[in-house]
Amino acid sequence: MKKFALLASAMTLGLASESASGARAEDGYDLWLRYRPVEAPAAGAYRAAASELVVQGGSPTLAVARDELARGLSGMLGQAPPLAAAPGRDGTVILGTPAGSPLVARLNLPLEPLGPDGYLIRSVQVDGRPATVIAGNSDVGVLYGVFDFLRRMQTRQPVAGLEVAEAPKVKLRLLNHWDNLDRHVERGYSGQSIWDWWRLPDVRDPRYVDYARASASLGINGTVLNNVNAKADSLTAPYIAKAAAVADVLRPYGIKVYLSARFSAPIEIGGLKTADPLDPAVRAWWKAKADEIYRTIPDFGGFLVKANSEGQPGPQDYGRSHADGANMLAEAVAPHGGVVMWRAFVYSNEQPEDRIKQAYNEFVPLNGKFRDNVIVQVKNGPLDFQPREPFHPLFGATPKTPLMMEFQITKEYLGFSTHLVYQGPLYEETLAADTWRKGQGSTVAKVVDGSLFGHALTGMAGVANVGSDRNWSGSHFDQANWYAFGRLAWDPELSSRAIAQEWARMTFSNDPRFLEPVVGMMIASRETVVDYMTPLGLHHLMGEGHHYGPAPWVAGGPRADWTSVYFHRASPEGIGFDRMASGSNAVAQYAPEAGRALAADEKNLLWFHRVPWDQRVSSGRTLWDELVVRYTKGVEEVSAMRRTWASMKPYVDPQRHAEVAAYLAVQEQEAQWWRDACIAYFQTFSKRPLPAGYAPPAHSLDYYRSLEFPYAPGRGD
């Protein structure tokens, strides 16, 4: 393939263009916090609204809020407004809490309903002068308000007459880093881990501060530092000290650190002969370990656990339940205010009739059996972060046990960092799905935010796409997925289109000639990747192990449910996995109304049904013809994305424009590969010609099957 030549050529062109034009180069490091100069007349209005800063209180968090506001205003308005002890002119911006600022206290702001992380931004009169107050019940609430205020300027919104009251709907808003201690990132496509464990705790990379700034700007308040496929070494004293150094950097930004805990750690580093959660010695070991961690990291968040899944140790090794294992750890961290996030991504060594049913079957009987400081972390779909899956049937099925959403920000199954796929619509589709568990309108978002069943412990986790690449996420548009996750973790009912608008304005340009086509391209991109990878409900067709590229022919190996043929079940008679009553009956794990709606949606056709090749679909075409049309449409849509981006050259700096263009060229090439390989393979079963006017695959099926990628990035352990 010509991928690397394409990349090198476009990046060289980008650098050459930058040199020739004299335009300022941008490499993506600043993310959406670029704070570039605001044009007139908006700049004048903003200067009048931010003529000086008054910050009463001396905490590290208020200090970073003050510095961020000064940094942002300086970048956008040409200079930072002066600091003052008290308002002395029109347009003062006041930061603080009622507890720490007498000035804020005497304004009698209605802050109490907003909780610890909420904030107000309000236009007020102070001693007869117009001012803006950014206040919260806590210093971190003030920090979140500062980022909101700056975002309004970055996106050219008015900052006069403000009456903003914001509070997060979700309590735990976490990034999960699948980062190993050797800095390899499992399912990572943007360089090494940003956590330099070898140099920690003595060397604290300044990049950690910028990571904290970016995350806090979205309201993210926690990070799990290490892989869910955890090593017990992470819980030893030297690594606890390293985690503490990271915690020290993140703390002023309201971000707690968490660790993935290996269930067998009492054996591997504790010298015990068992990890049985009901064994008193094991319970005592975990209690002592938790005490040790909290002595070093007083605000440690708690543990994330992957157990009895994909060969990881867990309580079932001892005949115990997930609740037994989670409750043991919860008991250890409870005195310190810690939580346990127990992942529901489980499937046993025994191969079930349908792998996607196992998590529901294991966790629904445990409803109400977990301690109050346990939350069960559930992937958005019942399989594994596919381009499209129905929502996970566990959502809404455990009214006495809170569930935490797990989205994958890193694009393990969506073209790695090379393909432009904005996942906001995927996240929104899942969150807006109706579980029907308490009647119509019982959305997944209401399960996640706790409102459906009255849970106080709520959470959303995103498997991070952050790495050591200069642009953080491997490609510029992948930054939008980090951004979208954070915004939806704050409010799961936000619009993915509105989020894309915000991000595009802050990251590239406020020019409507740029925004309309690029936001449209972003919104369509998720459906595009579905078309050229897994149309009509197909799933898990990716290469084995590395999950790169098409491989619908994968069969054999240690487990059937690690193969593509297990999921698509193509034969001369048809294709698709029957999950209706006539098959595995996985549809019965949903409320009846939700199951009927999902099974009737053509987007999920081959997820729920086995369909003959000649059956007509909604377009009037046969299934076979429709698959060919969808695969081809996906390629055409990527070609259209390339044309759209090429026309955006006047609005984007040369370096970033060239880098995005290079990746779109790769994406078009790989979309064609997906289309041709899948059509070539499935045609061996359909035995039907392609529809008139549709080109045959460029190569033989043997060619596509011969391709190997032993060094693809991000492979699992």
Side-chain angles (χ1 to χ4, degrees):
M1 295 189 180
K2 301 176 181 177
K3 176 193 301 185
F4 298 110
L6 285 166
L7 286 170
S9 173
M11 289 180 182
T12 300
L13 286 171
L15 292 173
S17 298
E18 172 200 340
S19 177
S21 68
R24 174 180 177 176
E26 290 200 51
D27 58 14
Y29 184 84
D30 291 339
L31 297 162
W32 48 88
L33 302 177
R34 294 166 60 241
Y35 301 141
R36 296 299 185 256
V38 175
E39 66 286 342
Y46 292 161
R47 287 191 189 99
S51 64
E52 67 178 2
L53 305 182
V54 172
V55 184
Q56 294 181 339
S59 75
T61 298
L62 272 182
V64 299
R66 177 201 64 213
D67 292 348
E68 191 71 34
L69 186 55
R71 176 180 187 154
L73 294 176
S74 177
M76 289 188 284
L77 306 180
Q79 62 181 24
L83 286 170
R89 61 176 76 178
D90 292 352
T92 302
V93 179
I94 303 162
L95 308 184
T97 67
S101 168
L103 179 55
V104 172
R106 71 181 171 93
L107 292 173
N108 293 315
L109 300 168
L111 284 163
E112 187 174 349
L114 300 180
D117 288 353
Y119 58 87
L120 286 175
I121 309 176
R122 180 169 286 193
S123 299
V124 296
Q125 292 281 323
V126 178
D127 299 329
R129 294 181 181 276
T132 301
V133 62
I134 303 175
N137 292 309
S138 70
D139 293 344
V140 74
V142 177
L143 176 63
Y144 294 152
V146 163
F147 280 116
D148 184 322
F149 186 68
L150 290 169
R151 181 165 61 240
R152 290 168 189 274
M153 289 188 178
Q154 288 176 279
T155 56
R156 305 304 187 263
Q157 298 178 57
V159 294
L162 292 176
E163 289 283 345
V164 177
E166 280 280 335
K169 294 183 178 179
V170 175
K171 183 177 181 179
L172 307 177
R173 307 176 297 277
L174 272 62
L175 293 176
N176 288 181
H177 286 264
W178 287 2
D179 296 21
N180 295 321
L181 302 182
D182 62 0
R183 300 192 72 186
H184 170 264
V185 182
E186 184 170 339
R187 310 310 178 188
Y189 312 108
S190 51
Q192 291 183 299
S193 169
I194 67 168
W195 315 124
D196 192 340
W197 295 107
W198 182 253
R199 293 183 173 89
L200 284 164
D202 301 307
V203 178
R204 304 178 185 190
D205 192 328
R207 191 179 181 94
Y208 304 162
V209 172
D210 290 324
Y211 166 88
R213 291 177 54 240
S215 295
S217 76
L218 307 174
I220 290 169
N221 65 355
T223 187
V224 183
L225 299 179
N226 61 318
N227 196 350
V228 290
N229 293 324
K231 303 293 184 186
D233 308 73
S234 300
L235 300 179
T236 60
Y239 280 94
I240 294 170
K242 295 170 187 286
V246 176
D248 289 344
V249 177
L250 304 187
R251 186 173 294 111
Y253 294 87
I255 300 172
K256 291 184 177 182
V257 300
Y258 298 73
L259 290 172
S260 292
R262 184 165 173 83
F263 199 81
S264 54
I267 299 171
E268 295 172 26
I269 62 173
L272 302 184
K273 296 187 181 302
T274 180
D276 184 345
L278 299 190
D279 186 293
V282 174
R283 301 176 83 88
W285 187 89
W286 279 109
K287 183 180 184 304
K289 181 55 64 176
D291 292 345
E292 177 189 356
I293 294 172
Y294 279 98
R295 281 194 298 272
T296 310
I297 312 172
D299 58 349
F300 178 67
F303 294 126
L304 173 65
V305 185
K306 176 179 178 178
N308 291 122
S309 178
E310 299 184 318
Q312 293 295 310
Q316 292 177 343
D317 300 347
Y318 305 95
R320 314 302 187 190
S321 72
H322 290 290
D324 293 329
N327 290 344
M328 172 194 66
L329 293 171
E331 178 183 68
V333 299
H336 308 280
V339 301
V340 170
M341 300 166 289
W342 192 271
R343 294 179 86 237
F345 180 63
V346 296
Y347 55 95
S348 65
N349 293 328
E350 296 76 30
Q351 294 179 42
E353 51 171 335
D354 184 352
R355 187 180 118 184
I356 73 162
K357 294 174 63 177
Q358 187 165 342
Y360 181 98
N361 290 341
E362 289 193 20
F363 280 89
V364 168
L366 300 175
N367 179 36
K369 295 184 178 180
F370 293 92
R371 285 184 59 120
D372 290 345
N373 60 328
V374 174
I375 187 167
V376 175
Q377 185 166 307
V378 182
K379 290 188 178 185
N380 60 280
L383 183 52
D384 191 12
F385 300 134
Q386 296 298 292
R388 168 166 283 119
E389 299 183 42
F391 72 88
H392 202 299
L394 270 174
F395 288 112
T398 62
K400 296 180 181 179
T401 296
L403 302 184
M404 181 175 185
M405 173 64 73
E406 181 179 321
F407 285 126
Q408 193 177 49
I409 307 172
T410 188
K411 304 202 312 295
E412 176 182 354
Y413 294 98
L414 290 90
F416 296 6
S417 62
T418 311
H419 294 205
L420 194 164
V421 184
Y422 171 55
Q423 295 191 77
L426 186 160
Y427 303 158
E428 184 179 15
E429 178 178 286
T430 303
L431 292 164
D434 199 337
T435 72
W436 282 86
R437 290 297 183 180
K438 290 184 72 175
Q440 190 172 15
S442 303
T443 62
V444 172
K446 292 178 181 177
V447 176
V448 172
D449 71 17
S451 62
L452 191 63
F453 300 119
H455 292 301
L457 181 57
T458 59
M460 190 183 295
V463 181
N465 64 347
V466 171
S468 60
D469 280 2
R470 181 69 184 168
N471 65 17
W472 296 91
S473 57
S475 64
H476 298 292
F477 274 85
D478 274 355
Q479 297 173 358
N481 295 323
W482 181 6
Y483 187 90
F485 166 78
R487 296 290 281 134
L488 285 165
W490 182 273
D491 183 352
E493 295 185 339
L494 289 176
S495 153
S496 63
R497 180 177 288 274
I499 293 169
Q501 278 269 1
E502 277 183 3
W503 177 83
R505 285 177 177 273
M506 298 165 73
T507 305
F508 286 110
S509 173
N510 280 282
D511 193 314
R513 293 169 295 182
F514 172 86
L515 289 168
E516 185 174 349
V518 169
V519 170
M521 179 178 77
M522 291 172 67
I523 293 297
S525 63
R526 184 282 184 104
E527 207 63 45
T528 294
V529 77
V530 170
D531 281 341
Y532 66 72
M533 285 189 182
T534 55
L536 297 176
L538 286 171
H539 46 287
H540 216 293
L541 305 182
M542 293 75 184
E544 188 174 15
H546 48 68
H547 301 155
Y548 170 68
W553 45 79
V554 169
R559 319 177 42 107
D561 58 2
W562 283 354
T563 68
S564 302
V565 298
Y566 171 90
F567 292 104
H568 66 67
R569 307 197 168 199
S571 74
E573 290 70 42
I575 186 173
F577 199 124
D578 183 1
R579 293 190 167 104
M580 305 304 289
S582 54
S584 75
N585 204 28
V587 71
Q589 293 186 333
Y590 296 93
E593 300 90 343
R596 285 195 295 270
L598 289 169
D601 190 337
E602 194 168 82
K603 292 177 180 177
N604 304 318
L605 179 65
L606 302 179
W607 179 282
F608 285 105
H609 305 279
R610 183 163 177 76
V611 182
W613 295 108
D614 286 334
Q615 180 171 309
R616 299 285 171 177
V617 296
S618 63
S619 66
R621 291 184 280 264
T622 66
L623 173 66
W624 167 247
D625 285 358
E626 184 68 15
L627 282 172
V628 175
V629 168
R630 295 288 183 105
Y631 273 117
T632 306
K633 180 170 175 278
V635 181
E636 293 170 346
E637 287 164 345
V638 179
S639 300
M641 288 165 63
R642 288 190 70 189
R643 292 192 296 273
T644 296
W645 186 251
S647 70
M648 294 299 103
K649 199 168 186 178
Y651 311 106
V652 182
D653 55 282
Q655 180 172 335
R656 289 189 299 165
H657 187 274
E659 289 172 2
V660 171
Y663 277 14
L664 283 169
V666 172
Q667 184 174 359
E668 183 180 39
Q669 176 181 293
E670 294 188 352
Q672 187 73 48
W673 170 34
W674 265 94
R675 182 251 187 210
D676 289 355
C678 290
I679 288 174
Y681 174 74
F682 288 130
Q683 194 173 29
T684 65
F685 299 100
S686 76
K687 308 292 186 184
R688 286 151 176 79
L690 273 62
Y694 285 81
H699 303 283
S700 69
L701 177 60
D702 286 343
Y703 166 79
Y704 296 117
R705 295 186 67 154
S706 72
L707 299 175
E708 295 184 357
F709 306 95
Y711 305 113
R715 292 188 67 121
D717 291 343

